[in-house]
Amino acid sequence: MKNNYQIFINSRNNPCWVAFLHPFTFVVPDDEKPWEVKLEDINNISYSNGNLIRIVTKFDIEKSDLPGLICYDGALAIPKNKNFKTKESALNYFSIFFTKLLLTDFYVEGIDHKDIVNGNLNENWSIWQTDLGNSSISQTHSKIRMLVASNMDTIQLSNPRIIYVQEILNKIELGGKILQQIPNLNAKFLLRGITEFRYKNWDLVLSNLWITVEQLIDYIWNNKFLLNNDNHPDVEIPNRKKSMKEDSRTWSASIKQEILFQSKLIDEETLFYLSKARKIRNKLVHEGIAVEEQIAKDILKTTIKIIKSIVSDSDLDYLLEKDLDNNIYRKANFTPDFDCWKNLPDKNFVENVFGQDITKKAKN
């Protein structure tokens, strides 16, 4: 048995960045049944946190001599080596990792700097975070691991999503192949745009997915239109192709979209929704006009359609099929009348309900 000092030294010598799969997910070894946490243990915060923090598999990291690690509770760890010296580099990697899952029919929330925590490889069997992070996601996951969460948080242990080790490794591999086919696609914006769609932040959906759309259009422009000799004169005009590739002022996004439509590289529906979204996006930027739900739905649908036209293996249609609206009023066809709100007094709110004596001591 190693002494505590040696454990501390080993832990300090193996630092890592940690991010969490969210919604809450158990990554289960292929030869095990999913852990069913007893409700009594959840309520009493007496479950075995060792089961959560244990490492269940490794995954390869391109151009790194060290692998990434996945824990049972969906914590991902990458080493703080030369590849990931900064949190920004870790964020970029985690965004790509999560997008690989997103593209293969497994929803994962987007992250930013607030969601990434510091951690260490602990005793060669687990990953232990050394801070809570600065987001609700990172703090919830970290507190559940540390046995200091509230019952409102630990209840997530009662019904986690389940994915098996080989299943998640397969999705990472397939998702990686999909992303390789669109090398100019920045995963961060696609991931964030889809996350904001779930939370109905329509302006952020449009802002992020419009960046994604422009990257996709550029990919089709550079790799399908410009590389097709049928789209060019028989006698090459000096600097013509270079201008079409590099001069973004002359060859703006709207012009590219129009030419791609005329070349049958995008269809009429795609051109219509892109044109509509561009106008709303410009109004958002210059006039602060709010984005409506339908515009956000249209840009998401169009983004998915363009991705599928480039990579047929991608699977994002499930995002359009899910019913993410949990508004109880809409489901019950109920309209609140706000009578109590309308009849509130101008002052002495609590006294109006409980009598003047309720604040007597405070006023003396």
Side-chain angles (χ1 to χ4, degrees):
M1 178 71 73
K2 297 177 181 178
N3 59 44
N4 290 334
Y5 177 74
Q6 188 60 50
I7 292 173
F8 167 73
I9 293 298
N10 289 346
S11 179
R12 189 178 65 174
N13 283 330
N14 293 275
C16 59
W17 300 108
V18 181
F20 300 95
L21 296 178
H22 194 82
F24 209 95
T25 305
F26 281 174
V27 183
V28 182
D30 297 308
D31 58 352
E32 295 183 16
K33 295 179 180 180
W35 180 31
E36 295 184 8
V37 190
K38 295 179 179 178
L39 187 58
E40 180 181 358
D41 289 334
I42 292 174
N43 290 334
N44 295 330
I45 322 294
S46 58
Y47 51 85
S48 172
N49 66 333
N51 219 20
L52 298 173
I53 66 175
R54 65 178 175 127
I55 298 166
V56 294
T57 192
K58 300 189 293 186
F59 59 89
D60 293 331
I61 299 176
E62 186 178 0
K63 297 179 182 179
S64 174
D65 56 347
L66 294 173
L69 304 171
I70 304 178
C71 296
Y72 195 98
D73 67 344
L76 308 179
I78 56 176
K80 288 186 179 181
N81 59 5
K82 61 183 180 181
N83 300 76
F84 306 110
K85 290 183 178 180
T86 65
K87 183 177 284 191
E88 181 67 26
S89 61
L91 173 61
N92 291 334
Y93 184 82
F94 285 132
S95 295
I96 292 171
F97 188 102
F98 288 178
T99 302
K100 291 176 182 178
L101 296 176
L102 195 72
L103 289 168
T104 52
D105 195 19
F106 191 80
Y107 176 79
V108 186
E109 300 248 316
I111 62 171
D112 56 31
H113 283 269
K114 301 189 298 295
D115 300 296
I116 299 175
V117 303
N118 296 286
N120 292 312
L121 172 61
N122 182 50
E123 296 189 272
N124 296 338
W125 69 273
S126 65
I127 294 296
W128 187 252
Q129 75 287 346
T130 55
D131 65 69
L132 298 176
N134 297 297
S135 74
S136 60
I137 290 176
S138 66
Q139 293 192 9
T140 297
H141 282 261
S142 297
K143 288 178 179 180
I144 289 175
R145 292 170 132 243
M146 298 170 71
L147 299 174
V148 295
S150 69
N151 295 136
M152 292 292 290
D153 292 327
T154 57
I155 197 63
Q156 295 182 73
L157 295 174
S158 67
N159 188 32
R161 298 190 302 174
I162 302 296
I163 187 169
Y164 286 89
V165 165
Q166 193 56 55
E167 185 182 2
I168 194 171
L169 294 178
N170 289 343
K171 287 182 178 293
I172 295 168
E173 181 180 5
L174 177 57
K177 291 178 180 178
I178 293 172
L179 282 180
Q180 285 176 1
Q181 296 181 60
I182 319 175
N184 69 318
L185 180 63
N186 188 315
K188 188 189 305 183
F189 298 106
L190 174 62
L191 187 65
R192 175 55 59 188
I194 291 174
T195 299
E196 298 301 344
F197 183 83
R198 183 187 181 201
Y199 290 104
K200 307 184 187 305
N201 295 318
W202 309 130
D203 54 341
L204 294 177
V205 174
L206 179 59
S207 298
N208 283 279
L209 292 186
W210 185 255
I211 296 174
T212 299
V213 161
E214 290 211 1
Q215 291 169 351
L216 295 171
I217 290 297
D218 276 348
Y219 175 84
I220 298 173
W221 178 259
N222 293 329
N223 294 276
K224 294 191 176 183
F225 179 79
L226 292 183
L227 292 182
N228 187 342
N229 290 330
D230 293 339
N231 298 321
H232 306 288
D234 293 334
V235 179
E236 186 170 339
I237 300 174
N239 296 320
R240 177 177 177 275
K241 288 184 180 179
K242 181 179 180 182
S243 171
M244 296 178 79
K245 185 172 184 178
E246 299 177 3
D247 187 354
S248 58
R249 288 192 175 184
T250 302
W251 304 96
S252 64
S254 59
I255 291 175
K256 288 177 182 177
Q257 291 162 19
E258 177 62 36
I259 294 176
L260 291 179
F261 165 67
Q262 294 179 15
S263 304
K264 301 189 184 305
L265 290 171
I266 61 174
D267 61 21
E268 183 175 346
E269 181 184 55
T270 299
L271 180 66
F272 172 78
Y273 285 126
L274 289 179
S275 177
K276 187 176 179 181
R278 183 177 63 255
K279 292 176 182 177
I280 299 300
R281 185 256 183 190
N282 289 339
K283 287 186 176 182
L284 170 64
V285 172
H286 299 293
E287 302 175 31
I289 301 299
V291 176
E292 296 180 355
E293 178 179 354
Q294 191 57 51
I295 293 295
K297 288 183 175 180
D298 291 343
I299 194 64
L300 175 59
K301 180 181 177 181
T302 303
T303 302
I304 292 172
K305 185 175 182 178
I306 297 174
I307 291 175
K308 290 185 68 176
S309 74
I310 299 172
V311 188
S312 59
D313 290 339
S314 60
D315 187 359
L316 289 167
D317 286 337
Y318 70 97
L319 294 168
L320 300 172
E321 296 168 359
K322 289 181 181 292
D323 178 15
L324 300 178
D325 190 352
N326 293 317
N327 189 320
I328 189 171
Y329 296 142
R330 181 175 298 181
K331 287 185 176 181
N333 194 27
F334 170 74
T335 302
D337 57 25
F338 294 104
D339 282 348
C340 293
W341 201 308
K342 294 173 184 175
N343 295 319
L344 285 173
D346 294 329
K347 58 182 181 179
N348 297 331
F349 302 96
V350 69
E351 294 90 341
N352 192 55
V353 176
F354 296 104
Q356 295 298 321
D357 289 344
I358 193 71
T359 57
K360 186 176 182 180
K361 291 183 177 179
K363 293 178 179 179
N364 290 338

